[in-house]
Amino acid sequence: MAAASPFADLDHALQSAREIWFNKIDVNGWLEAFASHPAIGTTSPSISQWSKEEQSTALATATDSTVQELVEWNARYSAKFGFVFLICASGRGTPEILAELKKRYLNRPIVEFEIAAQEKMKIIELRLAKLFKTPARMTPSMTAQLPAMQSDKAGDSVVSSISIHMLA
Amino acid sequence: MAAASPFADLDHALQSAREIWFNKIDVNGWLEAFASHPAIGTTSPSISQWSKEEQSTALATATDSTVQELVEWNARYSAKFGFVFLICASGRGTPEILAELKKRYLNRPIVEFEIAAQEKMKIIELRLAKLFKTPARMTPSMTAQLPAMQSDKAGDSVVSSISIHMLA
């Protein structure tokens, strides 16, 4: 990724990120990246500014009972698949997320694994777009989340190398 | 799987094994099962009787240079994908296995992950068929390999529960 940077524009950065995420990072790397995500609906103060922003619609549409249901289905999902339920939550209400979780729960493990990776890529794309649009908005808690994109093999971080070039 | 046994016949056992392998065991379980396999072409005395029989054609067609090439490509494959190259070797010569390895090396990690799981299922099917055909051939080194099929979640072993009912 370092070799691919600096990036001419957002499209170039997205293309490089997709290439690395889908073609270079192995399945163990995907599982590591998934493991860095808090369960959706988590409201702990330690979750990132990125996640807070992406889940603002979900939070605004949550009720005690839907939150409780989300906690239960998150646990059921993790028990079946061995990783946390990942969804690009931006603009999605809690009822929609819950419906998606229940639908995806029925998938075969390998099918769900690939869907989760696609959702993770959507999250990365969204964050890259934000970085390119308003670099000044980048906060320390956002940068702290970036190593989740790291590939041991590539020995580099997609987003952090982008941010170095974009924010310098 | 224990609930599904005893098995009326081989077809019933295969159907149960496939259902568990593809629908119940999660991706971590696949990785664990893959990890129990020696690299193809390994001739260490500790490899199972199952593997020895399955690789007899490969062994008969191996030369010093193809074995060396296999070792190199196995290492390259593991470095890219994070797990060992799995192939149902039965009846396949070393040149064919090597050609398959080089072709599959080009795959995306998620694609290769599913192919490896399909190959692993072929190996399981072959072993189940042998168990059903000639149970008396079952040796201690064969049974020692069976926990590789175990799913922590199912809390049971596909093959060992079959063997209990078939060999009792």
Side-chain angles (χ1 to χ4, degrees), chain A residues 21 28-40 42 46-48 50-51 55 82-86 120 123-124 127 141-142 144-150:
Chain A
W21 181 246
N28 299 293
W30 278 7
L31 287 169
E32 277 170 36
F34 293 177
S36 73
H37 269 265
I40 191 137
T42 306
S46 67
I47 76 160
S48 73
W50 294 112
S51 292
Q55 296 185 31
F83 50 81
V84 74
F85 174 68
L86 271 180
K120 174 73 185 167
I123 297 169
I124 293 165
R127 294 179 182 185
S141 80
M142 284 175 163
Q145 294 297 309
L146 298 179
M149 268 298 291
Q150 212 152 26

PDB file of all heavy atoms in Angstrom, chain A residues 21 28-40 42 46-48 50-51 55 82-86 120 123-124 127 141-142 144-150:
ATOM      1  N   TRP A  21      -7.730  -5.387   0.417  1.00  0.00           N
ATOM      2  CA  TRP A  21      -8.695  -6.066   1.295  1.00  0.00           C
ATOM      3  C   TRP A  21      -9.192  -7.387   0.689  1.00  0.00           C
ATOM      4  O   TRP A  21      -9.254  -8.410   1.377  1.00  0.00           O
ATOM      5  CB  TRP A  21      -9.873  -5.130   1.585  1.00  0.00           C
ATOM      6  CG  TRP A  21     -10.913  -5.707   2.505  1.00  0.00           C
ATOM      7  CD1 TRP A  21     -12.207  -6.017   2.177  1.00  0.00           C
ATOM      8  CD2 TRP A  21     -10.768  -6.063   3.885  1.00  0.00           C
ATOM      9  NE1 TRP A  21     -12.869  -6.529   3.267  1.00  0.00           N
ATOM     10  CE2 TRP A  21     -12.008  -6.573   4.325  1.00  0.00           C
ATOM     11  CE3 TRP A  21      -9.705  -6.012   4.801  1.00  0.00           C
ATOM     12  CZ2 TRP A  21     -12.229  -7.019   5.638  1.00  0.00           C
ATOM     13  CZ3 TRP A  21      -9.919  -6.463   6.107  1.00  0.00           C
ATOM     14  CH2 TRP A  21     -11.162  -6.952   6.500  1.00  0.00           C
ATOM     15  N   ASN A  28      -7.317 -15.127   7.731  1.00  0.00           N
ATOM     16  CA  ASN A  28      -6.941 -14.834   9.120  1.00  0.00           C
ATOM     17  C   ASN A  28      -6.926 -13.319   9.364  1.00  0.00           C
ATOM     18  O   ASN A  28      -7.337 -12.853  10.423  1.00  0.00           O
ATOM     19  CB  ASN A  28      -5.545 -15.407   9.435  1.00  0.00           C
ATOM     20  CG  ASN A  28      -5.501 -16.913   9.287  1.00  0.00           C
ATOM     21  OD1 ASN A  28      -6.138 -17.633  10.046  1.00  0.00           O
ATOM     22  ND2 ASN A  28      -4.780 -17.397   8.291  1.00  0.00           N
ATOM     23  N   GLY A  29      -6.458 -12.582   8.364  1.00  0.00           N
ATOM     24  CA  GLY A  29      -6.437 -11.113   8.459  1.00  0.00           C
ATOM     25  C   GLY A  29      -7.840 -10.541   8.553  1.00  0.00           C
ATOM     26  O   GLY A  29      -8.082  -9.586   9.299  1.00  0.00           O
ATOM     27  N   TRP A  30      -8.753 -11.116   7.783  1.00  0.00           N
ATOM     28  CA  TRP A  30     -10.157 -10.680   7.877  1.00  0.00           C
ATOM     29  C   TRP A  30     -10.678 -10.906   9.295  1.00  0.00           C
ATOM     30  O   TRP A  30     -11.303 -10.020   9.884  1.00  0.00           O
ATOM     31  CB  TRP A  30     -11.031 -11.462   6.884  1.00  0.00           C
ATOM     32  CG  TRP A  30     -11.000 -10.948   5.485  1.00  0.00           C
ATOM     33  CD1 TRP A  30     -10.194  -9.956   4.985  1.00  0.00           C
ATOM     34  CD2 TRP A  30     -11.824 -11.391   4.392  1.00  0.00           C
ATOM     35  NE1 TRP A  30     -10.467  -9.774   3.642  1.00  0.00           N
ATOM     36  CE2 TRP A  30     -11.458 -10.628   3.261  1.00  0.00           C
ATOM     37  CE3 TRP A  30     -12.820 -12.359   4.257  1.00  0.00           C
ATOM     38  CZ2 TRP A  30     -12.067 -10.805   2.010  1.00  0.00           C
ATOM     39  CZ3 TRP A  30     -13.424 -12.535   3.020  1.00  0.00           C
ATOM     40  CH2 TRP A  30     -13.046 -11.769   1.914  1.00  0.00           C
ATOM     41  N   LEU A  31     -10.413 -12.097   9.822  1.00  0.00           N
ATOM     42  CA  LEU A  31     -10.912 -12.416  11.174  1.00  0.00           C
ATOM     43  C   LEU A  31     -10.321 -11.460  12.220  1.00  0.00           C
ATOM     44  O   LEU A  31     -11.011 -11.028  13.132  1.00  0.00           O
ATOM     45  CB  LEU A  31     -10.592 -13.877  11.536  1.00  0.00           C
ATOM     46  CG  LEU A  31     -11.446 -14.920  10.809  1.00  0.00           C
ATOM     47  CD1 LEU A  31     -10.902 -16.328  11.020  1.00  0.00           C
ATOM     48  CD2 LEU A  31     -12.908 -14.852  11.259  1.00  0.00           C
ATOM     49  N   GLU A  32      -9.047 -11.122  12.042  1.00  0.00           N
ATOM     50  CA  GLU A  32      -8.414 -10.157  12.970  1.00  0.00           C
ATOM     51  C   GLU A  32      -9.086  -8.794  12.873  1.00  0.00           C
ATOM     52  O   GLU A  32      -9.332  -8.141  13.881  1.00  0.00           O
ATOM     53  CB  GLU A  32      -6.927 -10.001  12.645  1.00  0.00           C
ATOM     54  CG  GLU A  32      -6.066 -11.089  13.252  1.00  0.00           C
ATOM     55  CD  GLU A  32      -4.636 -11.038  12.712  1.00  0.00           C
ATOM     56  OE1 GLU A  32      -4.113  -9.929  12.477  1.00  0.00           O
ATOM     57  OE2 GLU A  32      -4.060 -12.115  12.487  1.00  0.00           O
ATOM     58  N   ALA A  33      -9.342  -8.360  11.651  1.00  0.00           N
ATOM     59  CA  ALA A  33      -9.988  -7.057  11.456  1.00  0.00           C
ATOM     60  C   ALA A  33     -11.406  -7.064  12.038  1.00  0.00           C
ATOM     61  O   ALA A  33     -11.828  -6.099  12.684  1.00  0.00           O
ATOM     62  CB  ALA A  33     -10.019  -6.701   9.975  1.00  0.00           C
ATOM     63  N   PHE A  34     -12.124  -8.164  11.843  1.00  0.00           N
ATOM     64  CA  PHE A  34     -13.483  -8.269  12.391  1.00  0.00           C
ATOM     65  C   PHE A  34     -13.436  -8.158  13.922  1.00  0.00           C
ATOM     66  O   PHE A  34     -14.317  -7.567  14.540  1.00  0.00           O
ATOM     67  CB  PHE A  34     -14.136  -9.611  12.028  1.00  0.00           C
ATOM     68  CG  PHE A  34     -14.428  -9.814  10.568  1.00  0.00           C
ATOM     69  CD1 PHE A  34     -14.956 -11.022  10.106  1.00  0.00           C
ATOM     70  CD2 PHE A  34     -14.198  -8.807   9.630  1.00  0.00           C
ATOM     71  CE1 PHE A  34     -15.240 -11.218   8.756  1.00  0.00           C
ATOM     72  CE2 PHE A  34     -14.477  -9.002   8.273  1.00  0.00           C
ATOM     73  CZ  PHE A  34     -14.994 -10.218   7.848  1.00  0.00           C
ATOM     74  N   ALA A  35     -12.406  -8.810  14.491  1.00  0.00           N
ATOM     75  CA  ALA A  35     -12.309  -8.873  15.960  1.00  0.00           C
ATOM     76  C   ALA A  35     -12.136  -7.494  16.595  1.00  0.00           C
ATOM     77  O   ALA A  35     -12.429  -7.310  17.774  1.00  0.00           O
ATOM     78  CB  ALA A  35     -11.154  -9.795  16.366  1.00  0.00           C
ATOM     79  N   SER A  36     -11.679  -6.533  15.787  1.00  0.00           N
ATOM     80  CA  SER A  36     -11.454  -5.195  16.356  1.00  0.00           C
ATOM     81  C   SER A  36     -12.760  -4.384  16.423  1.00  0.00           C
ATOM     82  O   SER A  36     -12.780  -3.295  16.984  1.00  0.00           O
ATOM     83  CB  SER A  36     -10.430  -4.438  15.502  1.00  0.00           C
ATOM     84  OG  SER A  36     -11.022  -4.046  14.277  1.00  0.00           O
ATOM     85  N   HIS A  37     -13.841  -4.938  15.865  1.00  0.00           N
ATOM     86  CA  HIS A  37     -15.113  -4.206  15.868  1.00  0.00           C
ATOM     87  C   HIS A  37     -15.926  -4.509  17.122  1.00  0.00           C
ATOM     88  O   HIS A  37     -16.114  -5.664  17.468  1.00  0.00           O
ATOM     89  CB  HIS A  37     -15.961  -4.606  14.650  1.00  0.00           C
ATOM     90  CG  HIS A  37     -15.718  -3.725  13.476  1.00  0.00           C
ATOM     91  ND1 HIS A  37     -16.488  -2.632  13.188  1.00  0.00           N
ATOM     92  CD2 HIS A  37     -14.754  -3.755  12.539  1.00  0.00           C
ATOM     93  CE1 HIS A  37     -16.029  -2.044  12.104  1.00  0.00           C
ATOM     94  NE2 HIS A  37     -14.974  -2.703  11.687  1.00  0.00           N
ATOM     95  N   PRO A  38     -16.465  -3.436  17.756  1.00  0.00           N
ATOM     96  CA  PRO A  38     -17.396  -3.693  18.863  1.00  0.00           C
ATOM     97  C   PRO A  38     -18.713  -4.210  18.258  1.00  0.00           C
ATOM     98  O   PRO A  38     -18.995  -3.952  17.086  1.00  0.00           O
ATOM     99  CB  PRO A  38     -17.594  -2.312  19.474  1.00  0.00           C
ATOM    100  CG  PRO A  38     -17.337  -1.356  18.349  1.00  0.00           C
ATOM    101  CD  PRO A  38     -16.329  -2.017  17.451  1.00  0.00           C
ATOM    102  N   ALA A  39     -19.495  -4.954  19.048  1.00  0.00           N
ATOM    103  CA  ALA A  39     -20.805  -5.404  18.566  1.00  0.00           C
ATOM    104  C   ALA A  39     -21.658  -4.190  18.246  1.00  0.00           C
ATOM    105  O   ALA A  39     -21.588  -3.172  18.951  1.00  0.00           O
ATOM    106  CB  ALA A  39     -21.483  -6.263  19.637  1.00  0.00           C
ATOM    107  N   ILE A  40     -22.442  -4.282  17.178  1.00  0.00           N
ATOM    108  CA  ILE A  40     -23.269  -3.146  16.779  1.00  0.00           C
ATOM    109  C   ILE A  40     -24.290  -2.836  17.891  1.00  0.00           C
ATOM    110  O   ILE A  40     -24.848  -3.741  18.498  1.00  0.00           O
ATOM    111  CB  ILE A  40     -23.958  -3.399  15.414  1.00  0.00           C
ATOM    112  CG1 ILE A  40     -24.588  -2.093  14.922  1.00  0.00           C
ATOM    113  CG2 ILE A  40     -24.989  -4.508  15.467  1.00  0.00           C
ATOM    114  CD1 ILE A  40     -24.359  -1.838  13.483  1.00  0.00           C
ATOM    115  N   THR A  42     -23.383  -1.236  20.592  1.00  0.00           N
ATOM    116  CA  THR A  42     -22.607  -0.992  21.806  1.00  0.00           C
ATOM    117  C   THR A  42     -22.513   0.505  22.051  1.00  0.00           C
ATOM    118  O   THR A  42     -22.202   1.265  21.132  1.00  0.00           O
ATOM    119  CB  THR A  42     -21.174  -1.572  21.659  1.00  0.00           C
ATOM    120  OG1 THR A  42     -21.285  -2.939  21.290  1.00  0.00           O
ATOM    121  CG2 THR A  42     -20.384  -1.443  22.952  1.00  0.00           C
ATOM    122  N   SER A  46     -15.805   3.773  25.017  1.00  0.00           N
ATOM    123  CA  SER A  46     -14.541   3.471  24.339  1.00  0.00           C
ATOM    124  C   SER A  46     -14.714   3.278  22.832  1.00  0.00           C
ATOM    125  O   SER A  46     -13.729   3.145  22.106  1.00  0.00           O
ATOM    126  CB  SER A  46     -13.899   2.226  24.961  1.00  0.00           C
ATOM    127  OG  SER A  46     -14.704   1.098  24.685  1.00  0.00           O
ATOM    128  N   ILE A  47     -15.952   3.248  22.326  1.00  0.00           N
ATOM    129  CA  ILE A  47     -16.073   3.029  20.868  1.00  0.00           C
ATOM    130  C   ILE A  47     -15.663   4.298  20.126  1.00  0.00           C
ATOM    131  O   ILE A  47     -15.769   5.410  20.630  1.00  0.00           O
ATOM    132  CB  ILE A  47     -17.464   2.498  20.407  1.00  0.00           C
ATOM    133  CG1 ILE A  47     -18.521   3.591  20.404  1.00  0.00           C
ATOM    134  CG2 ILE A  47     -17.900   1.267  21.178  1.00  0.00           C
ATOM    135  CD1 ILE A  47     -19.709   3.242  19.528  1.00  0.00           C
ATOM    136  N   SER A  48     -15.211   4.094  18.901  1.00  0.00           N
ATOM    137  CA  SER A  48     -14.588   5.187  18.147  1.00  0.00           C
ATOM    138  C   SER A  48     -15.592   6.237  17.692  1.00  0.00           C
ATOM    139  O   SER A  48     -16.786   5.977  17.577  1.00  0.00           O
ATOM    140  CB  SER A  48     -13.867   4.616  16.929  1.00  0.00           C
ATOM    141  OG  SER A  48     -14.833   4.208  15.970  1.00  0.00           O
ATOM    142  N   TRP A  50     -15.678   7.278  14.709  1.00  0.00           N
ATOM    143  CA  TRP A  50     -16.186   6.735  13.439  1.00  0.00           C
ATOM    144  C   TRP A  50     -17.488   5.975  13.698  1.00  0.00           C
ATOM    145  O   TRP A  50     -18.518   6.237  13.080  1.00  0.00           O
ATOM    146  CB  TRP A  50     -15.214   5.703  12.839  1.00  0.00           C
ATOM    147  CG  TRP A  50     -13.877   6.153  12.374  1.00  0.00           C
ATOM    148  CD1 TRP A  50     -12.675   5.832  12.941  1.00  0.00           C
ATOM    149  CD2 TRP A  50     -13.571   6.953  11.220  1.00  0.00           C
ATOM    150  NE1 TRP A  50     -11.656   6.375  12.208  1.00  0.00           N
ATOM    151  CE2 TRP A  50     -12.163   7.066  11.159  1.00  0.00           C
ATOM    152  CE3 TRP A  50     -14.337   7.573  10.245  1.00  0.00           C
ATOM    153  CZ2 TRP A  50     -11.517   7.780  10.155  1.00  0.00           C
ATOM    154  CZ3 TRP A  50     -13.706   8.284   9.247  1.00  0.00           C
ATOM    155  CH2 TRP A  50     -12.303   8.387   9.206  1.00  0.00           C
ATOM    156  N   SER A  51     -17.405   4.973  14.611  1.00  0.00           N
ATOM    157  CA  SER A  51     -18.559   4.119  14.888  1.00  0.00           C
ATOM    158  C   SER A  51     -19.736   4.930  15.398  1.00  0.00           C
ATOM    159  O   SER A  51     -20.877   4.698  15.008  1.00  0.00           O
ATOM    160  CB  SER A  51     -18.194   3.042  15.917  1.00  0.00           C
ATOM    161  OG  SER A  51     -17.277   2.134  15.360  1.00  0.00           O
ATOM    162  N   GLN A  55     -23.314   5.006  13.507  1.00  0.00           N
ATOM    163  CA  GLN A  55     -24.466   4.387  14.168  1.00  0.00           C
ATOM    164  C   GLN A  55     -25.443   5.419  14.725  1.00  0.00           C
ATOM    165  O   GLN A  55     -26.316   5.062  15.521  1.00  0.00           O
ATOM    166  CB  GLN A  55     -23.988   3.450  15.283  1.00  0.00           C
ATOM    167  CG  GLN A  55     -23.178   2.276  14.755  1.00  0.00           C
ATOM    168  CD  GLN A  55     -22.810   1.269  15.835  1.00  0.00           C
ATOM    169  OE1 GLN A  55     -23.546   1.082  16.797  1.00  0.00           O
ATOM    170  NE2 GLN A  55     -21.678   0.613  15.674  1.00  0.00           N
ATOM    171  N   GLY A  82     -18.725 -17.280  14.830  1.00  0.00           N
ATOM    172  CA  GLY A  82     -17.382 -17.148  15.396  1.00  0.00           C
ATOM    173  C   GLY A  82     -16.770 -15.771  15.203  1.00  0.00           C
ATOM    174  O   GLY A  82     -15.575 -15.583  15.432  1.00  0.00           O
ATOM    175  N   PHE A  83     -17.559 -14.810  14.729  1.00  0.00           N
ATOM    176  CA  PHE A  83     -17.103 -13.412  14.654  1.00  0.00           C
ATOM    177  C   PHE A  83     -18.318 -12.510  14.823  1.00  0.00           C
ATOM    178  O   PHE A  83     -19.468 -12.968  14.709  1.00  0.00           O
ATOM    179  CB  PHE A  83     -16.355 -13.109  13.338  1.00  0.00           C
ATOM    180  CG  PHE A  83     -17.074 -13.540  12.088  1.00  0.00           C
ATOM    181  CD1 PHE A  83     -18.087 -12.764  11.543  1.00  0.00           C
ATOM    182  CD2 PHE A  83     -16.743 -14.731  11.457  1.00  0.00           C
ATOM    183  CE1 PHE A  83     -18.763 -13.167  10.393  1.00  0.00           C
ATOM    184  CE2 PHE A  83     -17.425 -15.149  10.295  1.00  0.00           C
ATOM    185  CZ  PHE A  83     -18.425 -14.356   9.774  1.00  0.00           C
ATOM    186  N   VAL A  84     -18.042 -11.234  15.093  1.00  0.00           N
ATOM    187  CA  VAL A  84     -19.102 -10.262  15.382  1.00  0.00           C
ATOM    188  C   VAL A  84     -19.911  -9.913  14.118  1.00  0.00           C
ATOM    189  O   VAL A  84     -19.377  -9.958  13.000  1.00  0.00           O
ATOM    190  CB  VAL A  84     -18.438  -8.997  16.001  1.00  0.00           C
ATOM    191  CG1 VAL A  84     -17.693  -8.183  14.961  1.00  0.00           C
ATOM    192  CG2 VAL A  84     -19.427  -8.132  16.750  1.00  0.00           C
ATOM    193  N   PHE A  85     -21.189  -9.595  14.291  1.00  0.00           N
ATOM    194  CA  PHE A  85     -22.034  -9.164  13.164  1.00  0.00           C
ATOM    195  C   PHE A  85     -21.560  -7.806  12.672  1.00  0.00           C
ATOM    196  O   PHE A  85     -21.535  -6.832  13.420  1.00  0.00           O
ATOM    197  CB  PHE A  85     -23.497  -9.076  13.629  1.00  0.00           C
ATOM    198  CG  PHE A  85     -24.435  -8.514  12.590  1.00  0.00           C
ATOM    199  CD1 PHE A  85     -24.729  -9.222  11.433  1.00  0.00           C
ATOM    200  CD2 PHE A  85     -25.039  -7.270  12.769  1.00  0.00           C
ATOM    201  CE1 PHE A  85     -25.598  -8.712  10.466  1.00  0.00           C
ATOM    202  CE2 PHE A  85     -25.913  -6.756  11.818  1.00  0.00           C
ATOM    203  CZ  PHE A  85     -26.194  -7.475  10.668  1.00  0.00           C
ATOM    204  N   LEU A  86     -21.178  -7.747  11.404  1.00  0.00           N
ATOM    205  CA  LEU A  86     -20.668  -6.508  10.810  1.00  0.00           C
ATOM    206  C   LEU A  86     -21.644  -5.977   9.778  1.00  0.00           C
ATOM    207  O   LEU A  86     -22.066  -6.710   8.879  1.00  0.00           O
ATOM    208  CB  LEU A  86     -19.346  -6.795  10.101  1.00  0.00           C
ATOM    209  CG  LEU A  86     -18.078  -6.678  10.915  1.00  0.00           C
ATOM    210  CD1 LEU A  86     -16.874  -7.010  10.042  1.00  0.00           C
ATOM    211  CD2 LEU A  86     -17.920  -5.273  11.463  1.00  0.00           C
ATOM    212  N   LYS A 120     -17.503  -4.731   5.784  1.00  0.00           N
ATOM    213  CA  LYS A 120     -16.305  -4.086   6.342  1.00  0.00           C
ATOM    214  C   LYS A 120     -15.686  -3.154   5.297  1.00  0.00           C
ATOM    215  O   LYS A 120     -15.256  -2.046   5.615  1.00  0.00           O
ATOM    216  CB  LYS A 120     -15.308  -5.157   6.794  1.00  0.00           C
ATOM    217  CG  LYS A 120     -13.957  -4.665   7.261  1.00  0.00           C
ATOM    218  CD  LYS A 120     -13.998  -3.994   8.614  1.00  0.00           C
ATOM    219  CE  LYS A 120     -12.632  -3.402   8.968  1.00  0.00           C
ATOM    220  NZ  LYS A 120     -12.689  -2.485  10.102  1.00  0.00           N
ATOM    221  N   ILE A 123     -17.560   0.036   5.112  1.00  0.00           N
ATOM    222  CA  ILE A 123     -17.210   0.905   6.240  1.00  0.00           C
ATOM    223  C   ILE A 123     -15.892   1.627   5.944  1.00  0.00           C
ATOM    224  O   ILE A 123     -15.754   2.829   6.156  1.00  0.00           O
ATOM    225  CB  ILE A 123     -17.113   0.088   7.563  1.00  0.00           C
ATOM    226  CG1 ILE A 123     -18.477  -0.523   7.916  1.00  0.00           C
ATOM    227  CG2 ILE A 123     -16.583   0.948   8.707  1.00  0.00           C
ATOM    228  CD1 ILE A 123     -18.439  -1.551   9.056  1.00  0.00           C
ATOM    229  N   ILE A 124     -14.938   0.867   5.423  1.00  0.00           N
ATOM    230  CA  ILE A 124     -13.638   1.455   5.078  1.00  0.00           C
ATOM    231  C   ILE A 124     -13.813   2.540   4.011  1.00  0.00           C
ATOM    232  O   ILE A 124     -13.229   3.625   4.099  1.00  0.00           O
ATOM    233  CB  ILE A 124     -12.661   0.357   4.571  1.00  0.00           C
ATOM    234  CG1 ILE A 124     -12.300  -0.602   5.704  1.00  0.00           C
ATOM    235  CG2 ILE A 124     -11.399   0.979   3.972  1.00  0.00           C
ATOM    236  CD1 ILE A 124     -11.651  -1.905   5.246  1.00  0.00           C
ATOM    237  N   ARG A 127     -15.184   5.692   5.460  1.00  0.00           N
ATOM    238  CA  ARG A 127     -14.188   6.405   6.272  1.00  0.00           C
ATOM    239  C   ARG A 127     -13.135   7.086   5.384  1.00  0.00           C
ATOM    240  O   ARG A 127     -12.703   8.192   5.681  1.00  0.00           O
ATOM    241  CB  ARG A 127     -13.542   5.437   7.279  1.00  0.00           C
ATOM    242  CG  ARG A 127     -14.548   4.955   8.309  1.00  0.00           C
ATOM    243  CD  ARG A 127     -13.982   3.981   9.326  1.00  0.00           C
ATOM    244  NE  ARG A 127     -15.044   3.556  10.244  1.00  0.00           N
ATOM    245  CZ  ARG A 127     -14.868   2.778  11.308  1.00  0.00           C
ATOM    246  NH1 ARG A 127     -13.664   2.340  11.612  1.00  0.00           N
ATOM    247  NH2 ARG A 127     -15.886   2.449  12.082  1.00  0.00           N
ATOM    248  N   SER A 141      -9.239   9.717  18.234  1.00  0.00           N
ATOM    249  CA  SER A 141      -9.946   8.439  18.389  1.00  0.00           C
ATOM    250  C   SER A 141     -10.201   7.789  17.026  1.00  0.00           C
ATOM    251  O   SER A 141     -10.336   6.585  16.906  1.00  0.00           O
ATOM    252  CB  SER A 141     -11.261   8.602  19.150  1.00  0.00           C
ATOM    253  OG  SER A 141     -12.272   9.093  18.310  1.00  0.00           O
ATOM    254  N   MET A 142     -10.273   8.595  15.974  1.00  0.00           N
ATOM    255  CA  MET A 142     -10.420   8.043  14.631  1.00  0.00           C
ATOM    256  C   MET A 142      -9.121   7.376  14.192  1.00  0.00           C
ATOM    257  O   MET A 142      -9.129   6.235  13.722  1.00  0.00           O
ATOM    258  CB  MET A 142     -10.784   9.142  13.629  1.00  0.00           C
ATOM    259  CG  MET A 142     -12.245   9.580  13.733  1.00  0.00           C
ATOM    260  SD  MET A 142     -12.567  10.963  12.623  1.00  0.00           S
ATOM    261  CE  MET A 142     -14.366  10.931  12.562  1.00  0.00           C
ATOM    262  N   ALA A 144      -6.923   6.161  15.998  1.00  0.00           N
ATOM    263  CA  ALA A 144      -6.677   4.982  16.832  1.00  0.00           C
ATOM    264  C   ALA A 144      -7.334   3.743  16.249  1.00  0.00           C
ATOM    265  O   ALA A 144      -6.907   2.617  16.507  1.00  0.00           O
ATOM    266  CB  ALA A 144      -7.191   5.216  18.253  1.00  0.00           C
ATOM    267  N   GLN A 145      -8.377   3.929  15.430  1.00  0.00           N
ATOM    268  CA  GLN A 145      -9.078   2.799  14.844  1.00  0.00           C
ATOM    269  C   GLN A 145      -8.402   2.294  13.569  1.00  0.00           C
ATOM    270  O   GLN A 145      -8.706   1.209  13.095  1.00  0.00           O
ATOM    271  CB  GLN A 145     -10.530   3.195  14.497  1.00  0.00           C
ATOM    272  CG  GLN A 145     -11.371   3.501  15.703  1.00  0.00           C
ATOM    273  CD  GLN A 145     -11.530   2.282  16.603  1.00  0.00           C
ATOM    274  OE1 GLN A 145     -11.895   1.221  16.130  1.00  0.00           O
ATOM    275  NE2 GLN A 145     -11.220   2.421  17.871  1.00  0.00           N
ATOM    276  N   LEU A 146      -7.519   3.083  13.027  1.00  0.00           N
ATOM    277  CA  LEU A 146      -6.978   2.752  11.713  1.00  0.00           C
ATOM    278  C   LEU A 146      -6.176   1.453  11.640  1.00  0.00           C
ATOM    279  O   LEU A 146      -6.232   0.781  10.633  1.00  0.00           O
ATOM    280  CB  LEU A 146      -6.157   3.935  11.180  1.00  0.00           C
ATOM    281  CG  LEU A 146      -6.979   5.210  10.987  1.00  0.00           C
ATOM    282  CD1 LEU A 146      -6.091   6.332  10.488  1.00  0.00           C
ATOM    283  CD2 LEU A 146      -8.125   4.991  10.011  1.00  0.00           C
ATOM    284  N   PRO A 147      -5.438   1.080  12.714  1.00  0.00           N
ATOM    285  CA  PRO A 147      -4.664  -0.156  12.582  1.00  0.00           C
ATOM    286  C   PRO A 147      -5.516  -1.390  12.287  1.00  0.00           C
ATOM    287  O   PRO A 147      -5.011  -2.410  11.867  1.00  0.00           O
ATOM    288  CB  PRO A 147      -3.979  -0.289  13.945  1.00  0.00           C
ATOM    289  CG  PRO A 147      -3.898   1.113  14.452  1.00  0.00           C
ATOM    290  CD  PRO A 147      -5.170   1.768  13.957  1.00  0.00           C
ATOM    291  N   ALA A 148      -6.844  -1.302  12.468  1.00  0.00           N
ATOM    292  CA  ALA A 148      -7.720  -2.427  12.140  1.00  0.00           C
ATOM    293  C   ALA A 148      -7.610  -2.811  10.664  1.00  0.00           C
ATOM    294  O   ALA A 148      -7.904  -3.925  10.280  1.00  0.00           O
ATOM    295  CB  ALA A 148      -9.170  -2.083  12.473  1.00  0.00           C
ATOM    296  N   MET A 149      -7.189  -1.880   9.834  1.00  0.00           N
ATOM    297  CA  MET A 149      -7.025  -2.142   8.407  1.00  0.00           C
ATOM    298  C   MET A 149      -5.677  -2.770   8.095  1.00  0.00           C
ATOM    299  O   MET A 149      -5.389  -3.078   6.953  1.00  0.00           O
ATOM    300  CB  MET A 149      -7.093  -0.825   7.626  1.00  0.00           C
ATOM    301  CG  MET A 149      -8.458  -0.442   7.130  1.00  0.00           C
ATOM    302  SD  MET A 149      -9.096  -1.670   5.983  1.00  0.00           S
ATOM    303  CE  MET A 149      -7.978  -1.420   4.583  1.00  0.00           C
ATOM    304  N   GLN A 150      -4.851  -2.883   9.116  1.00  0.00           N
ATOM    305  CA  GLN A 150      -3.479  -3.309   8.857  1.00  0.00           C
ATOM    306  C   GLN A 150      -3.383  -4.762   8.388  1.00  0.00           C
ATOM    307  O   GLN A 150      -4.070  -5.631   8.877  1.00  0.00           O
ATOM    308  CB  GLN A 150      -2.673  -3.153  10.141  1.00  0.00           C
ATOM    309  CG  GLN A 150      -1.241  -2.803   9.879  1.00  0.00           C
ATOM    310  CD  GLN A 150      -0.673  -2.013  11.042  1.00  0.00           C
ATOM    311  OE1 GLN A 150      -1.137  -2.133  12.165  1.00  0.00           O
ATOM    312  NE2 GLN A 150       0.348  -1.223  10.793  1.00  0.00           N
TER     313      GLN A 150
END
